[in-house]
Amino acid sequence: MKAKIEELVAEIQQFTTQSEKEIEEFRIRFLGSKGLLKQLFGEFKTVEPAQKKEIGQALNDLRSKASSKVEELKEALSADSTESKKYGDLTRPGLPVELGARHPISIVKNRIVDVFSKIGFTVSEGPEIEDDWHNFTALNLPEYHPARDMQDTFFIEKNPDTLLRTHTSSVQIRYMESHKPPIRTISPGRVFRNEDISARAHCIFHQIEGLYIDTDVSFADLKQTLLYFTKEMFGKSKIRLRPSYFPFTEPSAEVDIYWGLETETDYKITKGTGWLEIMGCGMVDPNVLKNTKIDPEKYTGYAFGMGIERIAMLLYQIPDIRMFYENDIRFLEQFKSVI
Ligand code: DAH
């Protein structure tokens, strides 16, 4: 009998299944009312008294092993079935991971930053809420100067004036106040103008400002830098500088690139001329240097400023500036493949 019990213990230990039916069969075979244990306990009566203690213990042990096996298997099975209830079919293929996309404004800003970083420009930033000094006065735009009309301003407070910066040129001033020449920096950022919203204009948009100050900086340096930029950014190597006016630069110019007249879109965006205006620039006015305590006898410099939306519209042929701010997923998704 002892040998038989040992055999059954080994069988219990080895038994495993994930089928509910097989667990039940196992239970009936060992613990059922006509099961093996019942049978063995019946035979126990015939065991010799000297062996009763030992065999009795072995039988009790066998019974508890069998019932813990049943419990254990049932538990594993129910844990399994709640998992699959929660997650459904665990063998099905996973959901595809949706790739995000960078906003086209960030893509273009990063590209411009990269192009200028290669020639030693650092990136600087300034506040969006500005004072009159940094946005206007120090840039050679004193109060009542008619050029202030070029930029309709959102004022936050009067006396002292607090406003939303109308251009990133304010960062030039902050940078010159806190750094000594040589200065080579570009300042990307958001700007605000009190303008009617249309396909071509928005009251919030982005600019990048460039500033270079050192001894002996000339207009030729400016032109060369701009040429490098247009080659890197657009792959176009023909530019022209048209005389213009900005209070903070003298002389001032507007930069056009030769876009070409190959397609109908080229005709449309260049109004049939082949030329496209992309930014304003000039030699930093000596008054601006003086306002930031840089000696205009010793130093000269150039500055430039461009609208990021305008460049993004050109590069990606986006017809309406409002598309940048609507967050329409069908628009944004198209930039997934661009880094
Ligand atoms: N701040 C000018 C604007 O918003 C752009 C500009 C023009 C910036 C000429 C400059 C510059 O630094 O030299 O229209």
Side-chain angles (χ1 to χ4, degrees), residues 151 166-169 172 193 207 209-210 246 248-249 253 279-282 303-306:
Q151 300 176 357
T166 57
H167 51 187
T168 43
S169 303
Q172 277 187 33
R193 291 199 196 163
Q207 288 187 331
E209 193 78 12
F246 298 102
F248 27 91
T249 43
M279 66 170 109
C281 68
F304 55 85
M306 65 190 116

Side-chain angles (χ1 to χ4, degrees), residues 103-105 308-313 316 318 320-327 331-332 335:
H103 194 278
I105 296 298
I308 301 181
E309 277 79 355
R310 180 164 169 73
I311 301 208
M313 287 167 88
Y316 301 121
I318 297 164
D320 191 319
I321 197 170
R322 288 169 290 199
M323 295 172 102
F324 290 118
Y325 318 110
E326 281 162 356
N327 286 329
F331 171 69
L332 297 173
F335 298 92

Side-chain angles (χ1 to χ4, degrees), residues 13-245:
Q13 269 163 358
Q14 272 166 26
F15 181 74
T16 182
T17 179
Q18 286 184 331
S19 137
E20 209 168 327
K21 195 169 148 246
E22 280 175 28
I23 299 174
E24 185 57 11
E25 279 167 9
F26 175 88
R27 188 191 67 77
I28 291 167
R29 189 162 110 79
F30 281 91
L31 306 160
S33 54
K34 289 178 190 149
L36 283 168
L37 275 145
K38 190 86 180 174
Q39 225 175 300
L40 288 167
F41 273 111
E43 285 169 28
F44 181 66
K45 286 178 200 130
T46 64
V47 169
E48 300 202 356
Q51 287 193 314
K52 275 215 152 121
K53 191 174 174 206
E54 194 190 348
I55 303 271
Q57 265 173 5
L59 272 178
N60 280 332
D61 187 47
L62 180 68
R63 184 171 52 196
S64 76
K65 281 206 163 81
S67 53
S68 9
K69 188 71 172 195
V70 171
E71 284 310 304
E72 192 185 294
L73 289 173
K74 274 190 179 165
E75 216 165 89
L77 199 67
S78 77
D80 259 16
S81 73
T82 48
E83 285 271 286
S84 60
K85 256 185 223 136
K86 200 149 91 190
Y87 300 116
D89 175 5
L90 292 172
T91 62
R92 73 193 190 284
L95 291 174
V97 178
E98 278 287 325
L99 259 194
R102 258 187 229 291
H103 194 278
I105 296 298
S106 302
I107 295 170
V108 172
K109 182 200 82 179
N110 291 344
R111 272 190 63 186
I112 301 174
V113 167
D114 280 351
V115 170
F116 283 104
S117 302
K118 281 193 210 156
I119 51 169
F121 281 75
T122 59
V123 177
S124 51
E125 287 183 342
E128 292 177 351
I129 297 174
E130 258 304 359
D131 50 37
D132 181 277
W133 170 256
H134 292 94
N135 197 77
F136 292 126
T137 307
L139 285 160
N140 210 21
L141 265 148
E143 210 181 341
Y144 306 120
H145 192 291
R148 283 199 181 198
D149 269 1
M150 286 160 76
Q151 300 176 357
D152 291 318
T153 310
F154 285 116
F155 286 96
I156 295 172
E157 256 171 52
K158 279 258 165 212
N159 278 328
D161 280 339
T162 315
L163 46 91
L164 295 178
R165 67 178 176 196
T166 57
H167 51 187
T168 43
S169 303
S170 54
V171 189
Q172 277 187 33
I173 301 299
R174 288 193 176 269
Y175 200 86
M176 286 190 274
E177 284 174 340
S178 55
H179 294 79
K180 285 196 170 10
I183 287 172
R184 246 183 274 165
T185 188
I186 49 169
S187 325
R190 198 154 58 147
V191 301
F192 307 84
R193 291 199 196 163
N194 194 355
E195 269 179 40
D196 289 339
I197 297 170
S198 71
R200 307 206 57 80
H202 210 283
C203 57
I204 303 176
F205 56 102
H206 299 78
Q207 288 187 331
I208 286 203
E209 193 78 12
L211 180 69
Y212 189 128
I213 308 224
D214 205 344
T215 49
D216 302 320
V217 179
S218 72
F219 204 86
D221 296 324
L222 169 61
K223 189 166 180 191
Q224 210 52 42
T225 306
L226 296 176
L227 197 58
Y228 158 77
F229 168 71
T230 49
K231 272 188 200 161
E232 290 280 310
M233 195 70 194
F234 305 102
K236 313 263 180 192
S237 49
K238 207 156 115 185
I239 62 169
R240 70 179 182 196
L241 291 147
R242 269 181 299 109
S244 183
Y245 172 75

Side-chain angles (χ1 to χ4, degrees), residues 96-102 329 332-339:
V97 178
E98 278 287 325
L99 259 194
R102 258 187 229 291
I329 203 85
L332 297 173
E333 268 178 350
Q334 295 178 49
F335 298 92
K336 271 187 186 171
S337 57
V338 201
I339 308 163

